[in-house]
Amino acid sequence: MTIDLYQPPLRYGSAYDELSSDGVTPRTHWAHLMDSLEEIGPDELGRRWSRAERRIRENGITYNIYDDPLGANRPWKIDILPFLIPAKEWRHIEAGIIQRAQLLNLILQDLYGSQSLVASGHLPAELLYANPAFLRPLVGVKVPAQSYLHMLAVDLARSPDGQWWVMADRTQAPSGSGYALENRTIVSDVLPEVFRTSNVLRLAPFFRAQREALINLTQSSNPRIVLLTPGPHNETYFEHSYIARYLGFTLVEGADLTVRDRCVFLKTVNGLEKIDVILRRVDDSFCDPLELRGDSLLGVPGLVDAVVAGNVKVANALGSGLIESAAVMPFLPGLSKLLLGKNLKLPSVATWWCGQPYALDWVLNHLDSVVVKPAFPARGIEPVFGADISQDEKQRIADQLRARPCEYVAQEQVALSTAPVWEDGHIISRSIVLRAYVLNTGNGWVAIPGGLTRVAESEGSVVSMQRGGHSKDVWVLWDSPVDTFSLLRPRNAPLELSRGERAVPSSVADNVFWLGRYVERSENIARIVRSILTRIRQADPLEFRCLLRLHRCLDSQFSKLPKTKKARRPTPAVFEKELVGVLTDSNRPDSLVCTLAELSRVGGNVRERLSADMNYLIVQLRDSIPVEQIPPFLELPAMLTASLELLSAFSGMERENIIRGSGWLFMSIGRRLERAVYLTRQLREITAPLAEEEWSFLEYLLEVDDSSMTYRTRYYTTLQPLAVLDVLMADETNPRSLSFQLKHLADLYQQLPRHLSDDLQAMQMALAMLRSFNLQEMRYPSSSATTSSTATPVSSEGITNLQRFLGDLEGLLLSWSNNVSHRYFSHARTLPITISQ
């Protein structure tokens, strides 16, 4: 199989081939794997990999690629073949990255302390004071366990002679360890027999040590630890969610946390919970918009103050991104001798900081063989590969280097080693970079055995996950017995049964609340517009007037139709254009396409808490209304019917598939609240009141509220306003009636923790007042009774009072919604609400 399928590297003849020294015979530590693959055979490998890919999709393992339409749903790309490292080689790598972590930590301690390295000239002052990553508010602040680095990631590459070199250090929020763990789970499941017989070092002891290290940062017997993520749009959001679950921590965003009295609290639906430790995946400058970057929406206002007060521990420590710069690398050999008294065991790839005159001259004379990078990553400048640019471009780069030399570094362009990759039934060769991880346990440093191998997308391309690359599992083949500990419970181990619900973060409750509201809002828009579309081209002037009245139930602030009563009635062509805009105008916030986009956004924010089927439905809903290729007008009703079918499927899943916890309560409250708001608007159109010749409008409302059959079984085809009001307003057995919504809102709200008795009473009072209207005793004013000069006018006081009540009720519902948001989501002060008697 090796001889038949393996294609050795061709483009870089001098690159180190990890698999074979001659392109034919595997190296000693690869022989067992290749023999095992030959026994399994390409057909069986293909079947196993198909199962693994299905598992990746089902588990929602993703890596978001920025500026890519598929970014938010891009499946994680992993290679079936692991990258192998023998024990002797791993011991050398491990010793080198641990030494590097110790050195970088000492440098950070000095730069945020006495700054003697700068004063003595061992480190240029420009690399400290001109670096945007230098956080001055953190100078002199104590860090947990006297370590700025809870975890360090080191990117390693092998040169053609087999030597490992350090290409980059990730010091502020290292990513990838969770993907390494998921890779191990998948690959060991695809190749179980090979994994069992290869004596591979396990990853679980590393993560056990990480959890214990974070717990030991605080003196609390039951510390509250959270993982701070930038949110679902971050490229590695899946990893954040996965690591949080694996370690047993709560995943939070900046909006989930608040600082009160120089302490950090987690906002939950049960109230504020004090936080002891934050494991952060947010870059330094974004962590506090008050002290650091003012335009950040990802951080926690006041976090720096809480850190300075010592009331919360942050790992990695704020400010650790200061040395996440290649510009530091040329000075590390000297600093290692100064601070550790030893030479670096793992050297850095050749690097020149252009702030030194001799280094600048060398770089200008050798642009063809270097990669030019920003000295400070925060500048956001893309690397430039000198060998791949034109002469004019080289001149432009040279001018930039001369103008601002301190802002640039250059590194030797390394011919990366290549490793075997399984692709379309063949084993081919691709360039790789190994990312290794070191953890400070508080009692010493430990390295994850292996790490994450990143693979170039194509032969000779740059190794970058954002540019389409993928990853490998890393197997360290040990030469003695391995620790088989796992944080995952064995399948046959007894479990302690539990039905308790963990505290729900406020942001989660906020998102599911609005998910419910947007689902209901989308359904209402679709039903109203579909009802109009099916009638508009056959409507006579009177029916056309009723359709305009139905359109008013949308209560659109962005309608293009005339808004004054004296304005001339729009033509059918103008009305049709308005309806198309209500559906497909992406620049109109109240359009159906924008509402579905918001539904998709809030659903994506909590996708790890929804079933795969619900997430699938949300994606389908987002795409159900086209924007660029709008169907012909006569096909729009069918398009809306398809969208309504998806919304109905979502409603069924919400009722049947979600456990009745806090999340479901907020989603259901959101749905009932939104439906109640729209019903009040629709019922007010009936209480306007209607002339008899406009009573066909009642049929439209019954259709919109899916109550036509209910009405017909009671009243046949006789349409009367009071009877329609009874079905849509007062009938508590009708799930589409207003009284049904108010009753369930009160019942659902009462189940929430910390609910306010005043708000509950306000909703119950509104329901009681609604029930107090006796429709049987009301007389609906008719046009004949009110226009005749001789007849006695029929009293419409009851209808007028009902209309006034419905207007007050809509205001109450909106105020009540604000109080729910203040109480449970933002934890702000609520305002007293009531409804007029």
PDB file of all heavy atoms in Angstrom, residues 287-308:
ATOM      1  N   CYS A 287     -10.562  42.783  26.187  1.00  0.00           N
ATOM      2  CA  CYS A 287     -11.139  42.241  27.418  1.00  0.00           C
ATOM      3  C   CYS A 287     -11.840  43.272  28.284  1.00  0.00           C
ATOM      4  O   CYS A 287     -12.663  42.902  29.121  1.00  0.00           O
ATOM      5  CB  CYS A 287     -10.053  41.528  28.241  1.00  0.00           C
ATOM      6  SG  CYS A 287      -9.604  39.916  27.582  1.00  0.00           S
ATOM      7  N   ASP A 288     -11.523  44.565  28.119  1.00  0.00           N
ATOM      8  CA  ASP A 288     -12.139  45.584  28.960  1.00  0.00           C
ATOM      9  C   ASP A 288     -12.271  46.880  28.175  1.00  0.00           C
ATOM     10  O   ASP A 288     -11.285  47.591  27.953  1.00  0.00           O
ATOM     11  CB  ASP A 288     -11.299  45.820  30.220  1.00  0.00           C
ATOM     12  CG  ASP A 288     -11.967  46.766  31.211  1.00  0.00           C
ATOM     13  OD1 ASP A 288     -12.945  47.439  30.837  1.00  0.00           O
ATOM     14  OD2 ASP A 288     -11.510  46.838  32.368  1.00  0.00           O
ATOM     15  N   PRO A 289     -13.476  47.223  27.734  1.00  0.00           N
ATOM     16  CA  PRO A 289     -13.647  48.460  26.957  1.00  0.00           C
ATOM     17  C   PRO A 289     -13.449  49.735  27.768  1.00  0.00           C
ATOM     18  O   PRO A 289     -13.276  50.802  27.186  1.00  0.00           O
ATOM     19  CB  PRO A 289     -15.096  48.349  26.452  1.00  0.00           C
ATOM     20  CG  PRO A 289     -15.771  47.420  27.393  1.00  0.00           C
ATOM     21  CD  PRO A 289     -14.718  46.457  27.849  1.00  0.00           C
ATOM     22  N   LEU A 290     -13.445  49.635  29.091  1.00  0.00           N
ATOM     23  CA  LEU A 290     -13.218  50.828  29.898  1.00  0.00           C
ATOM     24  C   LEU A 290     -11.741  51.187  29.971  1.00  0.00           C
ATOM     25  O   LEU A 290     -11.358  52.354  29.805  1.00  0.00           O
ATOM     26  CB  LEU A 290     -13.762  50.611  31.317  1.00  0.00           C
ATOM     27  CG  LEU A 290     -15.287  50.610  31.482  1.00  0.00           C
ATOM     28  CD1 LEU A 290     -15.645  50.427  32.947  1.00  0.00           C
ATOM     29  CD2 LEU A 290     -15.892  51.887  30.942  1.00  0.00           C
ATOM     30  N   GLU A 291     -10.887  50.206  30.207  1.00  0.00           N
ATOM     31  CA  GLU A 291      -9.454  50.463  30.424  1.00  0.00           C
ATOM     32  C   GLU A 291      -8.609  50.226  29.184  1.00  0.00           C
ATOM     33  O   GLU A 291      -7.524  50.792  29.060  1.00  0.00           O
ATOM     34  CB  GLU A 291      -8.930  49.567  31.552  1.00  0.00           C
ATOM     35  CG  GLU A 291      -9.468  49.900  32.924  1.00  0.00           C
ATOM     36  CD  GLU A 291      -8.762  51.100  33.548  1.00  0.00           C
ATOM     37  OE1 GLU A 291      -7.838  51.640  32.917  1.00  0.00           O
ATOM     38  OE2 GLU A 291      -9.157  51.503  34.652  1.00  0.00           O
ATOM     39  N   LEU A 292      -9.077  49.371  28.267  1.00  0.00           N
ATOM     40  CA  LEU A 292      -8.224  48.944  27.165  1.00  0.00           C
ATOM     41  C   LEU A 292      -8.762  49.478  25.842  1.00  0.00           C
ATOM     42  O   LEU A 292      -8.602  50.629  25.527  1.00  0.00           O
ATOM     43  CB  LEU A 292      -8.091  47.418  27.177  1.00  0.00           C
ATOM     44  CG  LEU A 292      -7.575  46.842  28.514  1.00  0.00           C
ATOM     45  CD1 LEU A 292      -7.555  45.333  28.493  1.00  0.00           C
ATOM     46  CD2 LEU A 292      -6.200  47.407  28.846  1.00  0.00           C
ATOM     47  N   ARG A 293      -9.452  48.661  25.109  1.00  0.00           N
ATOM     48  CA  ARG A 293      -9.946  49.066  23.790  1.00  0.00           C
ATOM     49  C   ARG A 293     -11.395  49.503  23.901  1.00  0.00           C
ATOM     50  O   ARG A 293     -12.290  48.687  24.128  1.00  0.00           O
ATOM     51  CB  ARG A 293      -9.789  47.916  22.803  1.00  0.00           C
ATOM     52  CG  ARG A 293     -10.215  48.249  21.401  1.00  0.00           C
ATOM     53  CD  ARG A 293      -9.715  47.221  20.412  1.00  0.00           C
ATOM     54  NE  ARG A 293     -10.269  47.468  19.102  1.00  0.00           N
ATOM     55  CZ  ARG A 293      -9.785  46.958  17.975  1.00  0.00           C
ATOM     56  NH1 ARG A 293      -8.716  46.166  18.032  1.00  0.00           N
ATOM     57  NH2 ARG A 293     -10.342  47.224  16.808  1.00  0.00           N
ATOM     58  N   GLY A 294     -11.652  50.785  23.691  1.00  0.00           N
ATOM     59  CA  GLY A 294     -12.971  51.341  23.956  1.00  0.00           C
ATOM     60  C   GLY A 294     -14.062  50.855  23.029  1.00  0.00           C
ATOM     61  O   GLY A 294     -15.234  50.920  23.381  1.00  0.00           O
ATOM     62  N   ASP A 295     -13.699  50.385  21.821  1.00  0.00           N
ATOM     63  CA  ASP A 295     -14.725  49.955  20.877  1.00  0.00           C
ATOM     64  C   ASP A 295     -15.020  48.462  20.966  1.00  0.00           C
ATOM     65  O   ASP A 295     -15.753  47.913  20.148  1.00  0.00           O
ATOM     66  CB  ASP A 295     -14.306  50.293  19.441  1.00  0.00           C
ATOM     67  CG  ASP A 295     -13.019  49.588  19.027  1.00  0.00           C
ATOM     68  OD1 ASP A 295     -12.330  49.026  19.903  1.00  0.00           O
ATOM     69  OD2 ASP A 295     -12.698  49.585  17.821  1.00  0.00           O
ATOM     70  N   SER A 296     -14.474  47.788  21.977  1.00  0.00           N
ATOM     71  CA  SER A 296     -14.680  46.349  22.099  1.00  0.00           C
ATOM     72  C   SER A 296     -16.083  46.037  22.613  1.00  0.00           C
ATOM     73  O   SER A 296     -16.544  46.618  23.596  1.00  0.00           O
ATOM     74  CB  SER A 296     -13.651  45.738  23.052  1.00  0.00           C
ATOM     75  OG  SER A 296     -13.980  44.382  23.329  1.00  0.00           O
ATOM     76  N   LEU A 297     -16.736  45.102  21.940  1.00  0.00           N
ATOM     77  CA  LEU A 297     -18.026  44.591  22.401  1.00  0.00           C
ATOM     78  C   LEU A 297     -17.880  43.177  22.959  1.00  0.00           C
ATOM     79  O   LEU A 297     -18.877  42.526  23.267  1.00  0.00           O
ATOM     80  CB  LEU A 297     -19.023  44.577  21.231  1.00  0.00           C
ATOM     81  CG  LEU A 297     -19.339  45.938  20.597  1.00  0.00           C
ATOM     82  CD1 LEU A 297     -20.285  45.757  19.418  1.00  0.00           C
ATOM     83  CD2 LEU A 297     -19.909  46.898  21.609  1.00  0.00           C
ATOM     84  N   LEU A 298     -16.637  42.720  23.086  1.00  0.00           N
ATOM     85  CA  LEU A 298     -16.392  41.330  23.500  1.00  0.00           C
ATOM     86  C   LEU A 298     -16.010  41.206  24.963  1.00  0.00           C
ATOM     87  O   LEU A 298     -16.054  40.111  25.517  1.00  0.00           O
ATOM     88  CB  LEU A 298     -15.267  40.723  22.647  1.00  0.00           C
ATOM     89  CG  LEU A 298     -15.439  40.797  21.132  1.00  0.00           C
ATOM     90  CD1 LEU A 298     -14.215  40.191  20.445  1.00  0.00           C
ATOM     91  CD2 LEU A 298     -16.697  40.076  20.698  1.00  0.00           C
ATOM     92  N   GLY A 299     -15.595  42.306  25.582  1.00  0.00           N
ATOM     93  CA  GLY A 299     -15.038  42.230  26.921  1.00  0.00           C
ATOM     94  C   GLY A 299     -16.029  42.545  28.015  1.00  0.00           C
ATOM     95  O   GLY A 299     -17.250  42.606  27.812  1.00  0.00           O
ATOM     96  N   VAL A 300     -15.477  42.765  29.206  1.00  0.00           N
ATOM     97  CA  VAL A 300     -16.263  43.024  30.412  1.00  0.00           C
ATOM     98  C   VAL A 300     -15.846  44.376  30.968  1.00  0.00           C
ATOM     99  O   VAL A 300     -14.724  44.521  31.450  1.00  0.00           O
ATOM    100  CB  VAL A 300     -16.020  41.919  31.458  1.00  0.00           C
ATOM    101  CG1 VAL A 300     -16.951  42.113  32.656  1.00  0.00           C
ATOM    102  CG2 VAL A 300     -16.178  40.538  30.854  1.00  0.00           C
ATOM    103  N   PRO A 301     -16.696  45.379  30.914  1.00  0.00           N
ATOM    104  CA  PRO A 301     -16.322  46.681  31.474  1.00  0.00           C
ATOM    105  C   PRO A 301     -15.969  46.566  32.957  1.00  0.00           C
ATOM    106  O   PRO A 301     -16.735  46.032  33.754  1.00  0.00           O
ATOM    107  CB  PRO A 301     -17.597  47.512  31.273  1.00  0.00           C
ATOM    108  CG  PRO A 301     -18.315  46.853  30.134  1.00  0.00           C
ATOM    109  CD  PRO A 301     -18.025  45.391  30.279  1.00  0.00           C
ATOM    110  N   GLY A 302     -14.783  47.041  33.312  1.00  0.00           N
ATOM    111  CA  GLY A 302     -14.332  46.985  34.695  1.00  0.00           C
ATOM    112  C   GLY A 302     -13.518  45.760  35.042  1.00  0.00           C
ATOM    113  O   GLY A 302     -13.101  45.593  36.198  1.00  0.00           O
ATOM    114  N   LEU A 303     -13.251  44.884  34.062  1.00  0.00           N
ATOM    115  CA  LEU A 303     -12.504  43.659  34.361  1.00  0.00           C
ATOM    116  C   LEU A 303     -11.102  43.964  34.868  1.00  0.00           C
ATOM    117  O   LEU A 303     -10.618  43.325  35.809  1.00  0.00           O
ATOM    118  CB  LEU A 303     -12.431  42.774  33.112  1.00  0.00           C
ATOM    119  CG  LEU A 303     -11.633  41.475  33.254  1.00  0.00           C
ATOM    120  CD1 LEU A 303     -12.212  40.583  34.345  1.00  0.00           C
ATOM    121  CD2 LEU A 303     -11.561  40.723  31.926  1.00  0.00           C
ATOM    122  N   VAL A 304     -10.417  44.943  34.270  1.00  0.00           N
ATOM    123  CA  VAL A 304      -9.065  45.282  34.714  1.00  0.00           C
ATOM    124  C   VAL A 304      -9.080  45.708  36.171  1.00  0.00           C
ATOM    125  O   VAL A 304      -8.208  45.320  36.964  1.00  0.00           O
ATOM    126  CB  VAL A 304      -8.466  46.380  33.815  1.00  0.00           C
ATOM    127  CG1 VAL A 304      -7.189  46.936  34.432  1.00  0.00           C
ATOM    128  CG2 VAL A 304      -8.172  45.830  32.424  1.00  0.00           C
ATOM    129  N   ASP A 305     -10.070  46.482  36.550  1.00  0.00           N
ATOM    130  CA  ASP A 305     -10.155  46.940  37.941  1.00  0.00           C
ATOM    131  C   ASP A 305     -10.342  45.760  38.880  1.00  0.00           C
ATOM    132  O   ASP A 305      -9.756  45.720  39.970  1.00  0.00           O
ATOM    133  CB  ASP A 305     -11.308  47.930  38.082  1.00  0.00           C
ATOM    134  CG  ASP A 305     -11.300  48.643  39.427  1.00  0.00           C
ATOM    135  OD1 ASP A 305     -10.203  48.963  39.924  1.00  0.00           O
ATOM    136  OD2 ASP A 305     -12.376  48.859  40.000  1.00  0.00           O
ATOM    137  N   ALA A 306     -11.151  44.777  38.476  1.00  0.00           N
ATOM    138  CA  ALA A 306     -11.345  43.591  39.309  1.00  0.00           C
ATOM    139  C   ALA A 306     -10.064  42.779  39.413  1.00  0.00           C
ATOM    140  O   ALA A 306      -9.747  42.215  40.467  1.00  0.00           O
ATOM    141  CB  ALA A 306     -12.474  42.731  38.733  1.00  0.00           C
ATOM    142  N   VAL A 307      -9.286  42.722  38.320  1.00  0.00           N
ATOM    143  CA  VAL A 307      -8.008  42.014  38.338  1.00  0.00           C
ATOM    144  C   VAL A 307      -7.020  42.729  39.251  1.00  0.00           C
ATOM    145  O   VAL A 307      -6.306  42.099  40.051  1.00  0.00           O
ATOM    146  CB  VAL A 307      -7.449  41.891  36.904  1.00  0.00           C
ATOM    147  CG1 VAL A 307      -6.010  41.390  36.929  1.00  0.00           C
ATOM    148  CG2 VAL A 307      -8.313  40.961  36.070  1.00  0.00           C
ATOM    149  N   VAL A 308      -6.958  44.048  39.138  1.00  0.00           N
ATOM    150  CA  VAL A 308      -6.048  44.823  39.980  1.00  0.00           C
ATOM    151  C   VAL A 308      -6.393  44.633  41.452  1.00  0.00           C
ATOM    152  O   VAL A 308      -5.509  44.533  42.317  1.00  0.00           O
ATOM    153  CB  VAL A 308      -6.106  46.315  39.593  1.00  0.00           C
ATOM    154  CG1 VAL A 308      -5.332  47.164  40.597  1.00  0.00           C
ATOM    155  CG2 VAL A 308      -5.550  46.517  38.191  1.00  0.00           C
TER     156      VAL A 308
END
